[in-house]
Each structure stands twice: as structure tokens, then as C-alpha cells.
Amino acid sequence: GLYRYNGNQFQKISIGSNGDRTYFVVYQSDSMWLGGYGLLLNLDGTEIHAYSKENGLGENDVINNLCRTRSGALFVGTFHGRLYLKIADSFKMLRQFSTINAIYEDQSGDLWIAAGLDGLFYYRNGVFNQFNLEIDRKLLSVITLFQDKRNTLWVGTNYGLVGFRHPFSKDKKRFFFDSRSGLVRNGVNQIIEDEVGNLFVGTEFGINRISGY
């Protein structure tokens, strides 16, 4: 079910007959979105809108990623690798990957997909392209994405953290960090930036701070 913390305690939110399902992602944009097994809910004020196979989603989809772009488009990713685009009250499947770990819109409006063992893809003008991470490793898996204030695109993988400043420029600069350069572990699953530009990198065994890059 869904719970809200009011500062003192957790309270269960009633969302009708769908309240006892397990939800894997909560996404707040203009309204709240909840993704779970074969179901996507939109909580808009007091109204609840439910989307399922009748709207084009797969019956067995596990919805684990949502991205609302600045233009208002809603992209939905699933554990089984389906990428959907919401069109009116329906969902159109754009592409099948092995899995989708993250969907991220960068500052220029390109959409990036962390597609696990399939690698890293970007979606521009209706076309998917694979981006070369320049990591020559077997079973490389792309896990998470983040773009910092310097326009560096950071990509968390199972082999470490790779960053590209201005990734499509001829003058792009590449960064790479792994356990040999100080990461607690190679597998990177979270990346955030503080107000002064320090990068915090989360792994399954701890957190690193990266600065001065």
C-alpha cells in the first residue's frame, strides 16, 4: 500500500481497491504517479486515475521508472524493459530493452535510458541511439543516471562511475572512478549533487563524495 509521513507518523492513504498492491515507484510532478504490477495510478487532487492493460500497458509489467519531461511527455519504464509513452489516455510501447533501470531527461531535452546489460541509450527526435561509454568490460550493466550543474552526464554502472562533460561535443571530457580510484565498491546505484557542486555516489557498501573534478 501507500503511506504518507506527516512529520510524526506514517499514515496509510486510501486509494480504493488498488490500495493493497505493491508499488515500486512514486513520482511527483504536476501530480503523484504510482507504478506497480501491471498498473499505473495517477493521484490528482482527490481524483484517482488507473491505467492498465486496457490502456496499452502489459498485464505483467512491473513499472519501476517514470519520467515527466519539461515538455509534459510522460515516459514509463518497466523491469522487463518496455519503454512506453503516454498519449492521451493510452500508452504506446516505443522499444523493448533487456530492462530499464532509469529514465532521465538532460538539460538539452535528450532522454537517456539506463538499459542494464543493453547499455546506455538516448532518445532524440523519435530515434534511439546507443551511447558508447568507452568501458571495455564484459557484462557491463548501466544502473543510474544524473547530470550535474557543469553539464556532466554521470552514468553509474556495475564497473564504476563514468562521466562525460558535454557528451556530444568534440571537446567532451571523460571521467572514470572505480574502486581503484577510491570508490567503496564499483557498483553505483545513486548519484546526487549538493548545492556547492560536490557529487555523492551511492554504492551497496557505502557513499563516496567526489569534488574538484
Side-chain angles (χ1 to χ4, degrees), residues 156-175:
T157 79
N158 58 331
Y159 280 108
L161 177 69
V162 59
F164 294 90
R165 187 166 296 167
H166 309 295
F168 296 112
S169 170
K170 293 181 180 179
D171 300 323
K172 71 178 180 182
K173 185 176 181 181
R174 182 180 182 273
F175 306 90

Side-chain angles (χ1 to χ4, degrees), residues 45-176:
T46 59
E47 296 185 3
I48 300 174
H49 306 280
Y51 302 94
S52 60
K53 63 180 181 179
E54 288 77 14
N55 305 96
L57 297 173
E59 184 175 8
N60 298 317
D61 279 338
V62 179
I63 297 170
N64 61 351
N65 275 283
L66 299 168
C67 180
R68 170 78 81 179
T69 67
R70 289 187 292 275
S71 65
L74 181 69
F75 291 87
V76 177
T78 76
F79 174 78
H80 297 101
R82 299 182 183 96
L83 180 67
Y84 295 95
L85 173 63
K86 185 177 184 292
I87 302 174
D89 285 331
S90 298
F91 289 83
K92 177 183 178 181
M93 193 177 84
L94 299 179
R95 180 154 175 166
Q96 174 80 57
F97 299 94
S98 62
T99 191
I100 295 177
N101 291 322
I103 310 170
Y104 190 86
E105 184 189 25
D106 68 16
Q107 296 169 15
S108 63
D110 288 323
L111 196 74
W112 295 84
I113 299 97
L117 293 172
D118 284 351
L120 177 63
F121 289 79
Y122 63 95
Y123 183 65
R124 179 189 290 174
N125 299 325
V127 177
F128 289 95
N129 294 280
Q130 190 164 17
F131 188 85
N132 183 9
L133 290 175
E134 303 174 17
I135 301 176
D136 186 18
R137 298 287 182 90
K138 293 181 179 179
L139 299 179
L140 174 71
S141 180
V142 181
I143 301 169
T144 190
L145 302 165
F146 181 77
Q147 188 176 37
D148 66 19
K149 298 180 178 70
R150 302 178 180 90
N151 291 327
T152 304
L153 178 70
W154 294 99
V155 183
T157 79
N158 58 331
Y159 280 108
L161 177 69
V162 59
F164 294 90
R165 187 166 296 167
H166 309 295
F168 296 112
S169 170
K170 293 181 180 179
D171 300 323
K172 71 178 180 182
K173 185 176 181 181
R174 182 180 182 273
F175 306 90
F176 183 72

